[in-house]
Amino acid sequence: MTKQAWAGGWTAKEWPIAAAMIPFPGQLPDGRLVQEAGPEAWADSLRQVAGAGFEAVDPTDSWLRVADLPAGARAEFVDICQSLGLAIPAISTSRRNLIDPDHGKAHLDYGHRVIDIAAELGVGHVSFGFFGPLTPEQQRVTWFWTEDGPRCPDDPDTYRLAIDRVRDLASHAQSCGIRVVLEMYEDTYLGTARDSVRFIEDVDHPSVKLNVDIGNLIRLHRPVEPWAEMIRLCAPFAGYWHVKNYYRMEDGRNGQIMTHPAPLLGGVINWRAAIETALDLGFDSPFLVEHYGGDGLGVCAQNRDYIRTILAGRRSRNDQAV
């Protein structure tokens, strides 16, 4: 077994694969926000996660802002996770654009709070991005990615501001032993593979890696880079990794493109090849499994098991080669 390919020191069974909380909305059917609903509501969702066989969870902040909980409530949340055997390898922020013209500074301050809480809880990775809230048009359709969302400004000053704010967070994270990862997302400074690599290289900070969430791009109803090209370019910079897949249908006669969520084993992205490539380059971070629509948690559980078969097959081949 090569040290580089298994830099995290985990076996296939131990490798952290966290459940995303996107199958659970931030508002309960009775109108209460999950943020304010308290431990009983949190425990109900987390029991479902543990019941699906997960041993790790990312408390995605579209569901619950752990960093904004009072200390006592935060301790209750941690106790629930521990009682269910759920580790927290990472915290993902969602739609809190660090350069939003109205709320960017507040989002930056929130990012620092997330890093502090990650350090308090022993969480090793925090994911940030430059994508904002869904527009009214996006909220009205079945799949929000079929409508255009906000775009990052194409000007040097705003780009520089984005670099500076990421470096600010990264310096804080480095002092806490935490890795910052930046999520790839359309029409942001990480909206293509090449733009993502350029941005990471411009940030030039040892604590900053890419969240190579290429599913965010593959699902677009427009021409995109081939998934294998995205992986080839971005895998050398990969940190904590959101993984999901989509069916993608392109009609070459009229240019029509349609996509739909798919399990990792299906869809257009060959995740076995993508993960193998990343491992070859020393990928040593947890995975996060995501899925939109249907029984999202159930599909995530299947995706987790599929990833473990890839890791186990890799380990077996490495052992035979020794």
Side-chain angles (χ1 to χ4, degrees):
M1 179 174 64
T2 64
K3 182 177 180 182
Q4 181 187 34
W6 291 87
W10 299 304
T11 66
K13 187 176 185 305
E14 295 168 342
W15 203 294
I17 304 176
M21 294 304 288
I22 58 174
F24 300 93
Q27 187 171 18
L28 300 175
D30 62 10
R32 291 179 298 158
L33 296 177
V34 171
Q35 188 73 21
E36 301 165 356
E40 184 177 343
W42 309 337
D44 180 65
S45 297
L46 291 169
R47 285 192 197 102
Q48 294 180 56
V49 171
F54 280 96
E55 297 176 347
V57 65
D58 179 332
T60 320
D61 70 358
S62 58
W63 175 68
L64 179 70
R65 299 188 314 279
V66 176
D68 284 345
L69 292 175
R74 192 163 61 248
E76 289 182 285
F77 174 78
V78 172
D79 286 345
I80 293 167
C81 290
Q82 291 178 342
S83 71
L84 293 170
L86 293 171
I88 307 174
I91 298 174
S92 293
T93 67
S94 178
R95 305 197 178 282
R96 302 183 191 279
N97 181 3
L98 294 171
I99 54 167
D100 182 279
D102 298 317
H103 307 291
K105 181 57 169 62
H107 292 167
L108 176 66
D109 294 341
Y110 169 72
H112 282 291
R113 295 199 302 276
V114 174
I115 291 170
D116 283 334
I117 295 308
E120 174 188 306
L121 302 183
V123 173
H125 302 73
V126 179
S127 182
F128 297 103
F130 298 108
F131 52 107
L134 297 176
T135 66
E137 293 76 17
Q138 288 179 309
Q139 294 178 44
R140 282 195 290 264
V141 297
T142 300
W143 303 123
F144 62 84
W145 55 85
T146 61
E147 293 284 347
D148 289 341
R151 294 174 176 265
C152 283
D154 184 19
D155 71 85
D157 290 341
T158 307
Y159 186 84
R160 175 50 55 186
L161 176 65
I163 295 289
D164 291 344
R165 287 188 171 171
V166 170
R167 285 179 179 166
D168 184 16
L169 291 170
S171 295
H172 181 186
Q174 185 177 38
S175 71
C176 302
I178 291 170
R179 174 181 287 174
V180 165
V181 294
L182 301 177
E183 184 171 350
M184 296 172 68
Y185 201 93
E186 77 266 17
D187 301 325
T188 71
Y189 297 137
L190 297 98
T192 69
R194 286 169 175 77
D195 285 347
S196 298
V197 170
R198 174 197 172 201
F199 191 86
I200 291 293
E201 291 179 336
D202 287 347
V203 168
D204 191 25
H205 194 286
S207 291
V208 178
K209 294 283 189 177
L210 271 181
N211 175 352
V212 189
D213 194 345
I214 64 172
N216 286 344
L217 308 182
I218 287 295
R219 69 189 178 194
L220 298 176
H221 286 202
R222 64 176 88 157
V224 297
E225 300 156 299
W227 70 264
E229 180 76 356
M230 295 185 195
I231 292 297
R232 183 184 68 80
L233 291 170
C234 295
F237 303 91
Y240 179 53
W241 199 352
H242 292 185
V243 294
K244 53 183 177 282
N245 211 350
Y246 290 85
Y247 299 110
R248 183 176 172 90
M249 293 147 282
E250 303 183 20
D251 189 332
R253 295 169 298 178
N254 59 24
Q256 185 176 19
I257 299 171
M258 293 185 291
T259 65
H260 189 281
L264 288 192
L265 188 57
V268 70
I269 303 167
N270 180 343
W271 277 106
R272 183 180 300 274
I275 291 171
E276 289 273 8
T277 297
L279 292 173
D280 284 341
L281 295 166
F283 177 72
D284 62 352
S285 302
F287 293 95
L288 174 76
V289 286
E290 296 183 302
H291 186 80
Y292 287 98
D295 178 4
L297 179 60
V299 176
C300 285
Q302 293 176 345
N303 290 345
R304 174 203 64 218
D305 295 344
Y306 171 61
I307 291 173
R308 293 213 188 281
T309 66
I310 296 171
L311 297 174
R314 167 97 173 188
R315 178 65 179 265
S316 176
R317 295 199 309 277
N318 284 342
D319 288 344
Q320 292 174 11
V322 172

